[in-house]
Amino acid sequence: MGISAIGGKTILLTGGTGSFGRKFVEVALRDHDPKVVRVYSRDELKQLEMQREIDDDRVRYFIGDVRDRERLRRAMRGVEVVVHAAALKQVPTAEYNPIEAVKTNVDGAANVIDAAIDCDIERGIFLSSDKAVRPINLYGATKLVAEKLFIQANSYVGGGATRFSCVRYGNVLGSRGSVIPLFLTARRNGVIRITVPEMTRFWITLEQGVQFVMDCVGRMEGGEVFVPKLPAMRLEDLARTIAPEARWEVIGMRPGEKLHEELITREEAPRTREFKTFYTIEPEHRFWGVRSDGDPSTHGQPLPPGFEYVSNTAPWMLTPEELRGHLEELGAAPEGAP
């Protein structure tokens, strides 16, 4: 299908009114000319606001919840590509409402898979998170289970043509509820509440995340977990760049938080292939055939023994200058920026 895998296609985007969903629709319409993008979400107000912002007859809006399998089946009729972005994403919310998180993040993923198989879609891709790797909170655990469901869904397809894969990446710069908008708001008061200064996180912009997902739709054979090569940054450096004059209040780690995040574990490394800008973690199941013709440009290079991809030892650390550039793109230049 190539890099422009969504061009001319009918796409269903779950969680389509979230930060990722809005950017996905914007980029798809701007660069890829899809036949139709069906935005599937449960919030009618957000859909109304999105309709006012995006005036394009290629976009359709479906009210629905991923917990509702029958509604998903109806929404997927005639769809060729499904991008599953819907989730309860806030760690504290999932900790306090665990059953609701499971219903949306785990049962919802299973419903998307069943509807996709029943409707004979071509490709389905799931948005995962670094928090799915060795999870210590419920949100990460639900993402891990959903990853497993999407990978193993390839064995449920039987003789059908439907394929499923996953994308796993880190924190999104500027997304709703993320630390950067909180820091930008807090700097106006002169005080930033910071959990642990030495905490590190992987970072990706919304535009980069969307483009990576679109590229992976074209690359996927079914069963892979795609991981982009990302920069990491310490929370201390993030705070100093955004609000260098602000006073800090160190509040300590919150329930369910890690000091550092992982994108690839040592256990996954032996079945991971490295490419120029990303990694592909291959599954360990019978549906996955031998796919290497010996050409590293198309099938990647094996990783060295003991490899792991962790935010505090990442080879690419985001510089203050790079962060300022990203913030300027978001229209949120930090204090003191030229």
Side-chain angles (χ1 to χ4, degrees), residues 223-242:
E224 310 98 327
V225 177
F226 295 98
V227 178
K229 292 183 177 180
L230 297 179
M233 195 173 199
R234 292 193 309 165
L235 211 56
E236 175 181 3
D237 297 331
L238 192 69
R240 290 191 190 282
T241 302
I242 292 176

Side-chain angles (χ1 to χ4, degrees), residues 73-93:
R73 284 197 183 102
R74 181 66 58 89
M76 278 192 208
R77 288 180 181 173
V79 166
E80 294 154 292
V81 176
V82 171
V83 178
H84 180 36
L88 293 180
K89 300 180 176 69
Q90 294 299 313
V91 169
T93 300

Side-chain angles (χ1 to χ4, degrees), residues 301-333:
Q301 298 277 12
L303 296 176
F307 177 90
E308 57 185 354
Y309 197 17
V310 188
S311 58
N312 66 319
T313 58
W316 177 12
M317 299 301 289
L318 195 66
T319 67
E321 292 73 21
E322 289 172 323
L323 177 60
R324 290 190 189 101
H326 290 314
L327 292 174
E328 287 170 5
E329 291 174 6
L330 295 170

Side-chain angles (χ1 to χ4, degrees), residues 14 65-68 72 84 86 101-114 149-150:
T14 71
D65 197 314
V66 292
R67 300 182 185 189
D68 187 341
L72 279 168
H84 180 36
V102 169
K103 286 179 180 178
T104 296
N105 296 359
V106 177
D107 296 345
N111 290 338
V112 168
I113 290 165
D114 285 343
L149 292 175
F150 259 74

Side-chain angles (χ1 to χ4, degrees), residues 39-88:
V39 173
Y40 185 95
S41 72
R42 61 186 183 180
D43 192 321
E44 60 179 337
L45 178 59
K46 289 180 183 176
Q47 287 198 9
L48 180 61
E49 292 170 347
M50 192 168 172
Q51 288 179 59
R52 290 170 176 166
E53 293 174 8
I54 301 176
D55 182 16
D56 195 301
D57 59 10
R58 291 172 292 176
V59 184
R60 308 283 192 273
Y61 294 90
F62 287 64
I63 293 291
D65 197 314
V66 292
R67 300 182 185 189
D68 187 341
R69 188 177 304 175
E70 292 306 314
R71 178 59 172 152
L72 279 168
R73 284 197 183 102
R74 181 66 58 89
M76 278 192 208
R77 288 180 181 173
V79 166
E80 294 154 292
V81 176
V82 171
V83 178
H84 180 36
L88 293 180

